[in-house]
Amino acid sequence: MTRSWTCLARQTPHLRDRKRMSPSLFCKLSTVPSGENLQESSCVRPKTYVQEPEYRTHLVQCLHKEQKTFVDPKSIELANIISSLQDMGFDEAHINSLLSIQPSVHPQQLLDIISEFLLLGLHPEPLFMALKKSPQLLKLSPVQMKKRSSYLRKLGLGEGKLKRVLHSCPEVFTMRQRDIDGVVRVLKERCMFTAQQITELLHRCPGVFQADPSELEYKFQYAYFRMGLKHLDIVKNDFLQYSITKIKQRHMYLERLGQYQTPDKKGQTQIPNPLLKDILRVSEAEFLARTARSSAEEFEVFKKLLDREEEESESHASEEEEEDDDDEEDEEQL
């Protein structure tokens, strides 16, 4: 402000000198022939009023230069972060959305997390969709991010496969480590999948990361013992991503129709079983029309009967458990 007032002071003497000028000098009058009026032959405006806007502009420029020296450091930091995001390939709409997804997250932390994801080989658009779907990813620290990425690489989920995992199940980066370990342990020790098969399975069906280990084991046992499927069939047909309800309804319906048989110990059946993809990887309408060759009404009646059988079976199992508990108490009393 001192410099600005100095600029104004330098102009003041000129303004004062010009204001002392006689008004008679402002206009020159000339005599015209008689009968005519006097006219101004020329009109010269005072230099004060001609040049004063220039002085005001110069003063504003001085003030503007002074204001630039007092820019908020936070604004500079935010501008640099926005510039970095633009260099990474994010457009203005993406950047505005990213900055508002988790307002409590510091912009620098947001930039660090995004940088780590891009280093994994992800592109801006799928990364933006993953962050929008799972905003808690932005609360990760770079250390947590690197640790989880390293663990997933050990499972065989490198840069290329990690893209699909993040797109389908971004929660894999925020889940508890023990939950992931529990799923991997069941696949390896209880289901007897090889390391390569586990990698392929998790890549094709990332949702398995969030599955309950006991339900996952039951689903595998149903596929292996009841349907006679091999490990490779389960992996290649994404079997574990389907609900056990859907699996049992379609499989048992085909059994009741005489169109599916459990293979014997040699893996043989008396009739050719439908392909697994034609049982599970199609809509219900297509399943009924092409695979089961049955009506929707018949299938609905079957599903209701199956539900009733399941309820009765569960009720019977709970009664047996109660009887066993009573027997144990009687033995203890004796």
Side-chain angles (χ1 to χ4, degrees), residues 147-211:
K147 187 176 180 180
R148 183 55 55 87
S149 300
S150 176
Y151 175 81
L152 294 174
R153 286 193 183 96
K154 290 179 181 179
L155 293 177
L157 300 172
E159 280 74 5
K161 294 180 178 180
L162 202 55
K163 293 180 183 180
R164 179 170 179 174
V165 173
L166 180 64
H167 177 71
S168 302
C169 184
E171 294 83 3
V172 72
F173 282 91
T174 56
M175 292 175 59
R176 295 182 300 180
Q177 184 63 44
R178 65 182 182 183
D179 292 338
I180 298 179
D181 291 339
V183 169
V184 174
R185 189 181 306 110
V186 165
L187 294 175
K188 183 178 180 180
E189 300 177 3
R190 305 293 297 177
C191 303
M192 304 299 291
F193 286 104
T194 65
Q196 185 177 357
Q197 289 172 342
I198 291 175
T199 298
E200 186 68 15
L201 194 153
L202 293 175
H203 172 233
R204 297 174 66 96
C205 307
V208 171
F209 277 112
Q210 295 180 291

Side-chain angles (χ1 to χ4, degrees), residues 49-301:
Y49 303 112
V50 173
Q51 297 182 7
E52 187 175 358
E54 296 180 5
Y55 299 145
R56 288 201 304 269
T57 302
H58 186 61
L59 175 60
V60 171
Q61 290 175 347
C62 292
L63 289 170
H64 185 61
K65 290 179 181 178
E66 286 298 319
Q67 290 173 354
K68 284 184 177 180
T69 61
F70 294 99
V71 178
D72 187 1
K74 291 184 179 179
S75 300
I76 297 176
E77 181 183 18
L78 183 59
N80 292 335
I81 290 172
I82 292 174
S83 177
S84 298
L85 291 173
Q86 290 174 337
D87 294 340
M88 292 175 181
F90 293 97
D91 58 28
E92 184 177 351
H94 285 164
I95 293 173
N96 291 334
S97 183
L98 287 172
L99 292 173
S100 62
I101 288 177
Q102 285 284 10
S104 61
V105 176
H106 192 278
Q108 184 60 50
Q109 182 178 346
L110 180 144
L111 181 63
D112 293 340
I113 292 298
I114 291 176
S115 300
E116 289 296 329
F117 276 118
L118 292 177
L119 289 175
L120 296 177
L122 298 169
H123 296 293
E125 182 64 27
L127 175 57
F128 170 76
M129 297 304 296
L131 294 174
K132 193 173 181 180
K133 179 181 178 182
S134 191
Q136 62 269 25
L137 290 173
L138 294 175
K139 293 185 177 182
L140 292 171
S141 68
V143 175
Q144 291 174 311
M145 177 69 191
K146 291 179 181 178
K147 187 176 180 180
R148 183 55 55 87
S149 300
S150 176
Y151 175 81
L152 294 174
R153 286 193 183 96
K154 290 179 181 179
L155 293 177
L157 300 172
E159 280 74 5
K161 294 180 178 180
L162 202 55
K163 293 180 183 180
R164 179 170 179 174
V165 173
L166 180 64
H167 177 71
S168 302
C169 184
E171 294 83 3
V172 72
F173 282 91
T174 56
M175 292 175 59
R176 295 182 300 180
Q177 184 63 44
R178 65 182 182 183
D179 292 338
I180 298 179
D181 291 339
V183 169
V184 174
R185 189 181 306 110
V186 165
L187 294 175
K188 183 178 180 180
E189 300 177 3
R190 305 293 297 177
C191 303
M192 304 299 291
F193 286 104
T194 65
Q196 185 177 357
Q197 289 172 342
I198 291 175
T199 298
E200 186 68 15
L201 194 153
L202 293 175
H203 172 233
R204 297 174 66 96
C205 307
V208 171
F209 277 112
Q210 295 180 291
D212 181 84
S214 60
E215 293 180 1
L216 199 61
E217 182 180 357
Y218 175 73
K219 197 183 297 184
F220 167 78
Q221 290 178 348
Y222 187 89
Y224 191 80
F225 296 107
R226 283 286 285 112
M227 299 181 69
L229 301 177
K230 303 299 181 182
H231 287 78
L232 191 59
D233 297 327
I234 295 173
V235 173
K236 294 298 183 182
N237 290 280
D238 306 332
F239 183 88
L240 296 180
Q241 76 174 350
Y242 301 106
S243 68
I244 190 61
T245 301
K246 177 180 179 178
I247 293 170
K248 294 175 74 173
Q249 285 176 348
R250 296 194 179 186
H251 165 245
M252 296 178 72
Y253 188 57
L254 291 174
E255 275 190 329
R256 302 284 174 92
L257 294 174
Q259 298 180 25
Y260 194 102
Q261 287 184 347
T262 303
D264 57 22
K265 294 181 179 179
K266 295 181 180 180
Q268 298 177 347
T269 59
Q270 296 179 357
I271 60 172
N273 285 334
L275 297 176
L276 194 58
K277 66 181 183 66
D278 294 330
I279 300 176
L280 297 175
R281 298 175 68 179
V282 293
S283 65
E284 183 173 299
E286 190 173 353
F287 165 73
L288 292 172
R290 297 185 180 183
T291 308
R293 296 185 294 276
S294 178
S295 66
E297 292 77 11
E298 291 175 327
F299 189 47
E300 287 299 323
V301 171

Side-chain angles (χ1 to χ4, degrees), residues 28-32 36-42:
K28 285 186 177 181
L29 301 179
S30 59
T31 304
V32 295
E36 296 183 11
N37 296 326
L38 293 177
Q39 298 178 354
E40 292 184 2
S41 62
S42 64

